[in-house]
Amino acid sequence: MTSLLLDSPLSREQRDYAETIRSSGESLLTIINDILDFSKIEAGKLDLECVDFDLQPVLEESLELFGEAARRKQLRLSQHIDDAVPRYLKGDPVRFRQILMNLLSNAMKFTETGGVSLSAEYVEGTTTQALLRFAVTDTGIGIPPAAKSRIFDAFSQADGSTTRRYGGTGLGLSIAKQLVGLMGGTIAVDSTPGSGSTFAFTTRFDLQPLGSGLHHLRLVGGHG
């Protein structure tokens, strides 16, 4: 309803109020979703899908969603995908995107100058499976050494002032860690206070057989 309201003629003051309502609603929705996901994980009720998907648009679209925020803050957004990374995978693209979005959102939130980058590389694999590494790097405020050991704990942030200034539930990274674990990988952070952070995680995906499913559709489309 606030989106419809914002599409109607409004004074500047009314538009500011409506934007605040929409922003607050989105923040509440994020909190609710985090709590629901955390509860599912704690109860062992969160199951991953296993469907065919194309990795490239998932990475590109995840980064593009932060394009407007980056322009407002005058930050650079960049992406690097190694040629060895396979495109056509089998797994849960929705939960995989959730991990990416959480890390990218944090990077944008805690970065005022410089930029945020997303990278993907091939670690190892077989003819049917691949272990991939993804990293989100920022030039933000960084994380104090004492906070690194608990940064992935539930309801934990670097310190109390972080919560007051930037908001958040302290659940996002804990959920990301649990999802990464369900995908057969691990997550870690490398950070220097004042110089930025790199959150890197691995995931294990099955490979789509050549000539089947999404892979086949892409090949056929390429000849069209």
Side-chain angles (χ1 to χ4, degrees):
M1 296 305 293
T2 52
S3 295
L4 291 173
L5 181 61
L6 286 164
D7 286 337
S8 66
L10 297 172
S11 69
R12 175 173 292 183
E13 186 177 29
Q14 289 170 329
R15 186 165 298 279
D16 286 343
Y17 292 159
E19 287 283 7
T20 300
I21 293 169
R22 180 166 67 176
S23 176
S24 298
E26 289 172 349
S27 296
L28 284 171
L29 185 60
T30 298
I31 291 170
I32 291 167
N33 285 335
D34 279 352
I35 293 170
L36 288 172
D37 283 341
F38 182 74
S39 299
K40 285 181 182 178
I41 291 170
E42 287 290 285
K45 299 295 185 182
L46 195 148
D47 298 318
L48 297 181
E49 297 284 335
C50 188
V51 298
D52 292 350
F53 73 98
D54 184 344
L55 178 64
Q56 186 170 316
V58 173
L59 296 176
E60 291 175 352
E61 290 164 11
S62 296
L63 200 62
E64 286 170 3
L65 285 173
F66 295 94
E68 180 56 35
R71 282 189 288 274
R72 286 199 304 268
K73 298 179 76 171
Q74 297 184 318
L75 299 176
R76 297 184 308 275
L77 284 183
S78 59
Q79 174 181 280
H80 176 72
I81 305 173
D82 282 356
D83 292 338
V85 174
R87 279 185 61 173
Y88 304 105
L89 307 171
K90 293 174 70 71
D92 192 329
V94 173
R95 292 301 181 179
F96 172 67
R97 186 196 295 263
Q98 183 177 353
I99 299 167
L100 288 179
M101 296 294 287
N102 181 281
L103 298 184
L104 287 167
S105 176
N106 274 356
M108 291 293 300
K109 184 192 299 185
F110 297 117
T111 303
E112 297 300 329
T113 60
V116 173
S117 64
L118 170 63
S119 65
E121 62 183 82
Y122 178 86
V123 179
E124 62 181 24
T126 65
T127 55
T128 59
Q129 201 176 72
L131 182 67
L132 306 179
R133 180 183 183 273
F134 304 91
V136 173
T137 301
D138 64 63
T139 56
I141 62 175
I143 302 167
K148 285 185 184 179
S149 61
R150 54 185 170 83
I151 197 71
F152 295 105
D153 293 346
F155 302 107
S156 175
Q157 292 186 329
D159 56 50
S161 63
T162 299
T163 303
R164 289 191 294 274
R165 180 176 177 185
Y166 297 100
T169 60
L171 286 175
L173 289 176
S174 176
I175 292 169
K177 180 181 179 180
Q178 297 288 344
L179 291 175
V180 167
L182 288 172
M183 293 181 183
T186 59
I187 187 169
V189 60
D190 181 24
S191 182
T192 302
S195 299
S197 306
T198 295
F199 282 85
F201 67 97
T202 56
T203 55
R204 198 172 294 278
F205 290 115
D206 290 335
L207 302 176
Q208 293 180 37
L210 286 173
S212 67
L214 189 63
H215 194 284
H216 178 69
L217 291 174
R218 296 292 186 189
L219 291 175
V220 172
H223 293 294

